[in-house]
Amino acid sequence: MAVYAGEQLLPFTKSHGRTWFDPQTGGIWFNWTCSGFTLAFTGKTLRARVMAFGDQVPGPPGVPVLTDYPCLGVAVQDGEALSARFACGGGPQWYPLFSGEEGSHTLRLVKLSENMRGKTCLLALETDGELLAPQEADKRLSIEFVGDSITCGYGNEAPGPEAPFQTAEENGWMTYGALAARELEAEFSMVSVSGIAAARAKHPFLPSPQMEEVYPFTDRYGYERLELEPLPWDFAAHPKDLVVINLGTNDVNPIRFAKDTAAADQEEAWFVERYRAFVEKVRRLNGPDTAILCVLGPMDYYLYDKIQQTVAAYQKDTGDQRVFCLKLIGINLMEEGFGSAAHP
C-alpha cells in the first residue's frame, strides 16, 4: 500500500472551496459546506485518513447542548449520486472512499455538513496503486454561494419539521446551490452558516454571526478553532464568474421583534445601509468582472423589496450593472414538505 501524507497530498488534491493546509496538524482543512477534493488514482482501493473535531452549538433555552460531528460523502466525478457516505467520529480515522475493479478512477470527497457543526482535516490517502494528479478541467463557470442555513442544507433530509437537527440529515450536496451548479456544469463553492445574517443588527435580537465579518477570511471558524489568527482569502487566486448572495432571512428577526414600528423602521434602514456595504465589500474583494446575484428565499421574503431597492440605488450611484436580483421560488407545500425546523 502507498500512503501519501502531509504536504505530499498537495500535488494530488484538486481543492474545492476554501480549503487550507496547516503545518501544525499536517493536513488540509476543508470545513465549508461542499468543500473537499477531486482525487484520481490507479488501483482498486482508496482510503482517506481524516481528523474530525466536534462543535457544540447552543440551541433554544432548555434544550441540551450536544456535540455535532461532520459528515462526508463521495461522489463519482460530479455526479449527483453519492457512492459512499459516512459520519466522522473524532480523532484520526481511516474511511474507505473506493473499492472496486482495477483501473484509473476519479472521485470527489465532499463535506456534506456545515462549518459551524464540525471540522474536518485530510491527513493522508492510501491506495493499493498510486495517486495521480487530477486533470485540469476545461474552463467552466465558477460560482460561489454565500448564505445561511438554506444554503447549508440545514436538516434537508430530516423526516419533518418536528425532527431535531443532526448533521447526518444535512446534505449540502443536495441544496439549491449544488443542484443549480450541476445543472449548469459549473464549478462551485459555498460560504454558509446556519443562522447567519448579512450584517450586525442595530439592536441585535439574538447573538448571531454576521457574514460581513466572515466572508473576507479563508475560514474564520476553522482558524479560531485551532486558536490561530484567521488569514484572508486570496480572492485574486480564486476568481469567480458569479457570487450568489442569499442573505436576509435571519436579518429580519430584529425587525420582526422590534418593540414598536419606529424601532422596526430604524432596523430596516440599518439593514439597507449594511446590506449595501456588504455588496460593496463583495465587489471590492472579487473585482469588477464578477457578477453578483442578490437573492432571497425560499423561506422568508420580508426584506426582498429592500434588497431590490438597495441594488437599484447601488447601480445608479456606481454605474455597476453586474449586480442583479432574483426572488427564489417558495417552498412547494403540496409536494416538497419541510425538513428540520421547517427548513426546505
Side-chain angles (χ1 to χ4, degrees), residues 239-242 280-292 314 319-324:
K240 297 292 182 285
D241 297 303
L242 172 65
E280 291 173 344
K281 178 176 287 187
V282 172
R283 166 60 69 225
R284 183 171 63 254
L285 291 171
N286 286 277
D289 297 329
T290 300
I292 301 173
Y314 169 82
D320 185 349
Q321 299 301 308
R322 293 183 60 75
V323 182
F324 309 92

Side-chain angles (χ1 to χ4, degrees), residues 286-310:
N286 286 277
D289 297 329
T290 300
I292 301 173
L293 180 60
C294 300
V295 311
L296 194 62
M299 290 178 67
D300 186 290
Y301 300 101
Y302 184 90
L303 286 170
Y304 184 72
D305 291 343
K306 295 297 183 183
I307 290 173
Q308 274 192 313
Q309 295 165 14
T310 302

